[in-house]
Amino acid sequence: MALLSLSSLSPLPPPCSSSLQLHTRISLSPSKIGASSSSSTSQVIKNTPSNLKVVVTRERGKNAKLINALAEHGINCLELPLIQHTQGPDLDRLSSVLSERTFDWIVITSPEAGSVFLEAWKAAGTPSVRIGVVGVGTASIFENLMQSSKQSLDVAFAPSKATGKVLASELPKDGNKRCTVLYPASVKASNEIEEGLSNRGFQVVRLNTYTTVPVDHVDQIVLEEALSAPVVAVASPSAVRAWVNLISEPDSWSNSIACIGETTASAAKRLGLKNVYFPTKPGLDGWVGSILEALRAYDSF
């Protein structure tokens, strides 16, 4: 099976597209959403006090890339992990399923799902697989292995918009033949993907391989500092929920949430948070742009 690089996924025939970029965004709070431009970036650096912090909330050990990217803009971060990943009920089945069955597609919708899948794939003997990812952040999990596993690991598709709904509507299907999909997912993921694919005639096997839970302990001194920070950066709906649960009076907290993408931003809005930002283009650069835009807006209040 031919290898497609992350930078050169070629477009598929309509209605499918393998573009790894977001082209639209949902409407949350128009005056509070956007990705920063180069001019807004310079305004942040010029006007933001040096002690202003961004709270980074991913699982411990997974915040370094964001911290380093923000440091390039002169922004110091406060690390407050809000979530942790734990084993899902179907994790032990994943490697055996990969060993015993062949699927037309493996659908991966988050970096964590990708990491869990790769461990099981190696345990299964690295069988040939064709993978559909939801966006560039998820695709990056496979980047290093793609160089050394050209014959067995093929990241072949990403939807025109980085959401599960669009992925389910655009995943290529070969005519009328039966098309099988393995979907290693979070316990907390909705049924949107398997329902969308099933409605199009795919046969979907979902395995709940991991779940996301709040951290066991939050340092109260760090939390107090986080509550006063202008921007909290979140990378999943679970992180948003964990943050809301930590705030004693959510309505009185009026600083900004900078989300990694549209799904997380939707969750933040549903939970009543204001000043919600997210990028139109997914990935680390877009997320950093939204954080910078949130800081710029905070400085102008």
Side-chain angles (χ1 to χ4, degrees):
M1 187 172 295
L3 173 70
L4 297 183
S5 70
L6 299 186
S7 61
S8 61
L9 285 175
S10 58
L12 292 163
C16 300
S17 168
S18 60
S19 168
L20 288 177
Q21 294 185 349
L22 277 176
H23 298 290
T24 58
R25 64 185 179 187
I26 58 173
S27 175
L28 295 179
S29 175
S31 63
K32 301 299 182 184
I33 298 175
S36 68
S37 63
S38 58
S39 61
S40 65
T41 298
S42 62
Q43 191 170 354
V44 172
I45 305 308
K46 181 178 180 180
N47 297 332
T48 302
S50 60
N51 63 344
L52 203 58
K53 291 183 175 66
V54 173
V55 182
V56 295
T57 62
R58 270 183 157 165
E59 191 173 18
R60 190 168 301 281
K62 297 183 179 180
N63 290 295
K65 286 185 178 180
L66 181 58
I67 291 172
N68 291 338
L70 290 171
E72 292 180 2
H73 296 281
I75 297 170
N76 294 321
C77 293
L78 174 69
E79 186 172 26
L80 179 67
L82 294 178
I83 55 98
Q84 57 190 347
H85 295 105
T86 61
Q87 179 174 326
D90 298 328
L91 179 61
D92 293 338
R93 294 177 53 202
L94 182 55
S95 61
S96 61
V97 168
L98 287 168
S99 299
E100 297 165 2
R101 295 185 57 178
T102 300
F103 294 87
D104 294 293
W105 288 102
I106 312 292
V107 168
I108 303 294
T109 58
S110 72
E112 184 64 24
S115 297
V116 171
F117 166 79
L118 284 175
E119 289 300 314
W121 176 73
K122 292 173 186 175
T126 66
S128 294
V129 291
R130 183 169 63 157
I131 297 172
V133 295
V134 76
V136 290
T138 300
S140 66
I141 295 297
F142 300 96
E143 191 166 16
N144 292 334
L145 273 174
M146 285 174 64
Q147 304 304 317
S148 58
S149 306
K150 293 183 179 181
Q151 301 303 315
S152 58
L153 186 66
D154 181 15
V155 178
F157 171 78
S160 61
K161 187 176 183 180
T163 68
K165 182 177 181 179
V166 176
L167 185 152
S169 70
E170 294 183 349
L171 189 72
K173 188 172 185 289
D174 300 330
N176 294 322
K177 75 177 280 286
R178 190 176 72 114
C179 197
T180 57
V181 174
L182 176 63
Y183 174 34
S186 166
V187 171
K188 295 183 177 180
S190 71
N191 297 324
E192 184 176 60
I193 286 179
E194 61 261 42
E195 288 178 356
L197 290 172
S198 295
N199 290 338
R200 292 180 56 210
F202 287 88
Q203 181 179 344
V204 183
V205 175
R206 172 173 173 163
L207 296 180
N208 291 320
T209 57
Y210 74 99
T211 190
T212 306
V213 298
V215 294
D216 298 325
H217 172 73
V218 173
D219 186 289
Q220 291 303 304
I221 295 176
V222 177
L223 176 59
E224 288 179 11
E225 188 173 359
L227 287 168
S228 64
V231 178
V232 175
V234 290
S236 68
S238 294
V240 175
R241 287 190 290 270
W243 176 249
V244 170
N245 288 337
L246 285 174
I247 303 173
S248 57
E249 297 179 4
D251 291 341
S252 66
W253 187 79
S254 59
N255 291 346
S256 297
I257 288 281
C259 303
I260 195 170
E262 177 179 330
T263 301
T264 303
S266 296
K269 187 67 175 180
R270 286 195 302 271
L271 290 168
L273 294 176
K274 304 176 179 64
N275 306 327
V276 178
Y277 296 77
F278 76 99
T280 57
K281 181 179 179 181
L284 181 64
D285 290 343
W287 195 13
V288 169
S290 292
I291 292 170
L292 295 174
E293 183 70 8
L295 287 171
R296 185 190 65 80
Y298 177 88
D299 189 56
S300 67
F301 289 162

